[in-house]
Amino acid sequence: MHDIRAIRENPAAFDAAMARRGAQNASGPVLALDEARRAKILAAETAQADQNRASKEVGAAKARGDEAEFARLRVLVGEKKAEVAAMQAEAKDLDAQLTEMLMGMPNLPQDDVPDGADEADNVELRRWGTPPVLDFTAREHYEIEGVKPGMDFESAAKLSGSRFVVLSGSVARIHRALAQFMIDTHVEENSLTETWTPVLVRDEMMRGTGQLPKFGEDSYQTTNGWWLVPTAEVTLTNLVHGETVDETSLPRRMVAHTQCFRSEAGSAGRDTAGMLRQHQFEKVEMVSITHPEASRDELDRMTGCAEGILERLGLPYRTVVLCTGDMGFGARRTHDIEVWLPGQDMYREISSVSVCGDFQARRMNARFKPAGGGKPEFVHTLNGSGLAVGRALIAVLENGQQADGSVRLPEVLHPYLRGRSVLGADGVLS
């Protein structure tokens, strides 16, 4: 959410930044609504002052026995009271409209974010690893012989419909091993605090991180009003919702492994085969709450944490900075990490790490108390996948596939598999 005072003071700067995100003259409607709201507040305050004066004069008229003036003033006080109440209600309604308008506007991009319309305009920052050269035709993950016994889309469709999967046996075990490896690495090597949170949240929490009001159709809501989290970003970030923390407690670095749920309303027809885009999936999510001056460095640190997981798994990847047209609603700058998938012969996103500045903090009213004293300030928030577990499973299976239908597994997973290193063509670990 945006600072209305900053928009008032420099509407041209706000318009220029919003234009980079495709919105023209963004400040116009905002300032018009703000002016109407402020005018109504001033009118209510003026009427309230008139009411207060008339109330004092009522007593004076009664004391001097002026019954006619007493009666007139009583009527005036009643009229002013009703007028004030009506104006206050109108001001409250205008304030709600302004809040809703501001909540529907995307975050402002940082100056160094490249301009562009879509993913074609993203800028590559670096690459790591070399895609494997196979002497056979690469298969997608669900086509690999050793994977088929443990990856059942037909049973999942019977249970739940399309875009679900049932994992079993060795494949389910590799999937679990990946999540455990990620959590252990982030806790023991990256100094993140392991956190376990609910996957059902209230409206306010979804609003706090920007999923509501604009993107409600992308998530699932229960009949009693709870929302299923699309990512643990929602719960981890909202742990500071409505709080004023001590500056000395920053940064707060957290990680959680959760189920995630997305309706994929905006992706009809995309990636319908296999596990790439599911309604229910698992993700290891990183969230940092930082001092404003530290958030840009924290973005690079978190990006390195996610890249490190891929490097330990031996998976080739590239890191890109998203352009203004491809960046998420709440982000100021985003680094996408794309892992190499031999079955698709291309890099595909496996992590997205974003710095949001004070955009979410304003929605949550999350602040910190400066150590040296002074007025509380908004914290900065960051989030990133570390990693999407299902997509990591896909990458491990496809990059390790062998001509005979078996899969060689990354060495770092062997301890989590009791020393087993190969998924055989028969679907058995050995």
Side-chain angles (χ1 to χ4, degrees), residues 68-118:
E69 182 65 2
F70 172 74
R72 185 188 73 80
L73 288 170
R74 283 189 66 185
V75 171
L76 178 61
V77 168
E79 291 173 346
K80 286 297 180 182
K81 185 175 182 180
E83 186 180 345
V84 168
M87 288 181 175
Q88 288 176 337
E90 290 175 28
K92 185 177 180 180
D93 179 64
L94 289 169
D95 186 67
Q97 290 181 45
L98 179 61
T99 298
E100 201 76 358
M101 181 180 289
L102 290 171
M103 279 197 164
M105 292 181 163
N107 204 349
L108 305 181
Q110 290 185 341
D111 292 341
D112 59 354
V113 171
D115 290 328
D118 52 37

Side-chain angles (χ1 to χ4, degrees), residues 2 13 16-18 20-21 106-116 125 290-300 303 321-325 327-335 353-359 380-382:
H2 301 284
M18 289 296 289
R20 298 180 64 204
R21 302 212 64 171
N107 204 349
L108 305 181
Q110 290 185 341
D111 292 341
D112 59 354
V113 171
D115 290 328
L125 297 176
T290 75
H291 189 284
E293 294 177 0
S295 62
R296 184 61 181 82
D297 288 340
E298 187 71 5
L299 174 65
D300 293 333
T303 302
V321 56
L322 300 192
C323 70
T324 52
M327 198 162 56
F329 177 79
R332 294 208 68 201
R333 180 182 171 96
T334 297
H335 296 161
V353 187
S354 298
V355 57
C356 301
D358 63 2
F359 186 79
H380 277 197
T381 63
L382 302 95

Side-chain angles (χ1 to χ4, degrees), residues 63-382:
R64 65 177 180 266
D66 190 341
E67 294 299 327
E69 182 65 2
F70 172 74
R72 185 188 73 80
L73 288 170
R74 283 189 66 185
V75 171
L76 178 61
V77 168
E79 291 173 346
K80 286 297 180 182
K81 185 175 182 180
E83 186 180 345
V84 168
M87 288 181 175
Q88 288 176 337
E90 290 175 28
K92 185 177 180 180
D93 179 64
L94 289 169
D95 186 67
Q97 290 181 45
L98 179 61
T99 298
E100 201 76 358
M101 181 180 289
L102 290 171
M103 279 197 164
M105 292 181 163
N107 204 349
L108 305 181
Q110 290 185 341
D111 292 341
D112 59 354
V113 171
D115 290 328
D118 52 37
E119 61 184 15
D121 297 315
N122 295 340
V123 176
E124 184 173 313
L125 297 176
R126 54 188 167 269
R127 293 191 181 204
W128 183 91
T130 303
V133 178
L134 305 179
D135 56 5
F136 58 93
T137 301
R139 306 175 185 88
E140 293 203 57
H141 56 287
Y142 55 88
E143 299 172 325
I144 299 170
E145 202 63 34
V147 175
K148 290 179 181 179
M151 192 173 287
D152 186 351
F153 297 98
E154 290 185 6
S155 293
K158 177 179 68 175
L159 295 172
S160 307
S162 62
R163 295 199 176 185
F164 291 91
V165 66
V166 172
L167 301 180
S168 63
S170 299
V171 175
R173 188 167 184 178
I174 298 168
H175 185 262
R176 174 165 54 90
L178 279 163
Q180 290 177 316
F181 159 68
M182 293 174 194
I183 286 288
D184 285 350
T185 301
H186 289 312
V187 170
E188 295 172 9
E189 298 182 18
N190 298 330
S191 301
L192 277 64
T193 300
E194 183 172 1
T195 313
W196 191 91
T197 66
V199 294
L200 292 168
V201 296
R202 301 181 300 178
D203 281 8
E204 303 96 288
M205 304 302 111
M206 295 285 278
R207 281 181 172 270
T209 45
Q211 281 76 23
L212 292 179
K214 192 164 185 174
F215 301 105
E217 66 173 8
D218 293 327
S219 296
Y220 292 108
Q221 187 176 29
T222 65
T223 54
N224 61 357
W226 280 324
W227 292 87
L228 290 164
V229 295
T231 164
E233 171 199 346
V234 177
T235 47
L236 293 176
T237 309
N238 276 289
L239 287 174
V240 294
H241 189 118
E243 294 192 6
T244 300
V245 303
D246 290 332
E247 182 180 357
T248 54
S249 73
L250 303 177
R252 295 188 178 186
R253 294 167 173 157
M254 298 164 281
V255 63
H257 168 217
T258 65
Q259 296 280 348
C260 304
F261 307 87
R262 293 183 186 174
S263 70
E264 299 289 354
S267 61
R270 293 177 57 196
D271 301 318
T272 55
M275 281 185 62
L276 202 63
R277 195 179 294 274
Q278 300 267 283
H279 291 308
Q280 175 185 336
F281 56 96
E282 292 184 23
K283 189 145 70 82
V284 171
E285 184 76 1
M286 306 177 291
V287 162
S288 289
I289 312 296
T290 75
H291 189 284
E293 294 177 0
S295 62
R296 184 61 181 82
D297 288 340
E298 187 71 5
L299 174 65
D300 293 333
R301 191 199 66 81
M302 291 176 69
T303 302
C305 290
E307 291 172 335
I309 296 292
L310 290 172
E311 291 173 15
R312 293 279 301 277
L313 289 168
L315 298 173
Y317 68 84
R318 70 172 194 152
T319 302
V320 302
V321 56
L322 300 192
C323 70
T324 52
D326 197 34
M327 198 162 56
F329 177 79
R332 294 208 68 201
R333 180 182 171 96
T334 297
H335 296 161
D336 267 13
I337 306 172
E338 301 173 351
V339 68
W340 178 256
L341 297 184
Q344 293 194 6
D345 193 35
M346 64 188 301
Y347 289 97
R348 296 299 304 266
E349 178 200 337
I350 194 169
S351 174
S352 190
V353 187
S354 298
V355 57
C356 301
D358 63 2
F359 186 79
Q360 293 177 327
R362 289 181 179 278
R363 300 168 81 100
M364 299 185 299
N365 192 26
R367 304 169 187 259
F368 71 92
K369 188 185 304 180
K375 188 177 179 181
E377 301 176 35
F378 287 109
V379 298
H380 277 197
T381 63
L382 302 95

